[in-house]
Amino acid sequence: GVEKLMRIIRLPGIHHDVNATLICGEQGNYMVDVGTSWYQLLIQERLRGKIGEEGELDGIILTCRRYNHSGGAAFLKEEFSTRVFAHPNAAQALSSGDFFTTWANRYDSDMPPIETEPIIEAHSFEVGDGTFEIIELPGHCNDAIGVWQADRGVFIAGPTIPKADCPSRWDQPTGCLPDLLASVERIIQLQAKTLIPAHGDSIRGAEEVAEILEKHRAFFVERIAAGGELPRNWPRPSQTCNYLTP
């Protein structure tokens, strides 16, 4: 038969939802992030459309505990009889449906509780025609991770790079500004050719990725120098938002 090559497909997030990214290969299909529980039926349909009625989902990987990344995971886990992976720092909040640190309360929503399996730095997943690995990126929260496909230079950034032109927040539960800077520096070292942020279009081309990451890095360096204060003219982010808007 024809070798099925790995595909990495961004399913754009609706409204508050983050992008869900499907990694498909001959030996496995994985979904990175799922969005809130509001559009979970739609995500289920989109996923079926990509992997087929008979297709199996081998796992869901959550880049952090926040509701707009993880809220739909309990439903999809059940629907696809699959496993859900998250950083161990998120395990208790997710299994108890903690609506505070997941930020679900800011969406006036319950957090559907979910049991997860731990993934840490350098944990890798084989999908046939390549593997992808987990990179720990604390800062937005202490369980934030990214997903790196080295052969293609594709990086799924999670909450650390929420949008090309908007930096991540560190003032939500378990956030830490110096960690956020270190995590952005870590992403820069990867020299990714494509970066998929939490919201909005993929950033394509090594130069474009490097340029955008440098803006994020410089912003956090300035904020640390300013003792963690936001620039004076920046509005306070809306309570559901995981990023800052200049």
Side-chain angles (χ1 to χ4, degrees), residues 30-44:
Y30 290 87
M31 178 115 143
V32 181
D33 286 334
V34 295
T36 63
S37 56
W38 299 346
Y39 304 107
Q40 55 195 17
L41 282 164
L42 189 61
I43 291 280
Q44 180 193 6

Side-chain angles (χ1 to χ4, degrees), residues 13 16 24 31 44 47 92 106 111 123-126 137 160 174 176 183 206 208 214 229 233-235 240 243:
H16 294 297
C24 302
M31 178 115 143
Q44 180 193 6
L47 198 45
Q92 193 181 352
R106 304 303 167 109
M111 178 67 200
H123 186 121
S124 74
F125 292 86
E126 174 64 56
L137 299 168
T160 310
T174 77
C176 172
S183 289
E208 180 74 3
E214 179 49 40
E229 293 293 313
N233 52 347
W234 283 33
T240 51
Y243 53 84

Side-chain angles (χ1 to χ4, degrees), residues 37 40-42 44 71-80 112 114:
S37 56
Q40 55 195 17
L41 282 164
L42 189 61
Q44 180 193 6
F75 170 79
L76 293 168
K77 179 184 188 182
E78 190 79 13
E79 288 298 310
F80 288 90
I114 183 156

Side-chain angles (χ1 to χ4, degrees), residues 153-182:
V154 177
F155 187 64
I156 303 166
T160 310
I161 307 295
K163 254 179 137 166
D165 53 355
C166 297
S168 189
R169 288 176 68 175
W170 60 89
D171 62 340
Q172 291 169 299
T174 77
C176 172
L177 175 56
D179 283 356
L180 201 44
L181 172 61

Side-chain angles (χ1 to χ4, degrees), residues 28 53-54 56 58 64 72 78 88-89 93 103 107 117 158-159 187 201 205 218 230:
E53 286 306 315
E54 301 301 310
E56 291 197 8
D58 296 274
C64 70
E78 190 79 13
N89 287 347
W103 220 237
Y107 294 86
E117 299 176 46
I187 299 171
D201 293 338
L230 283 185

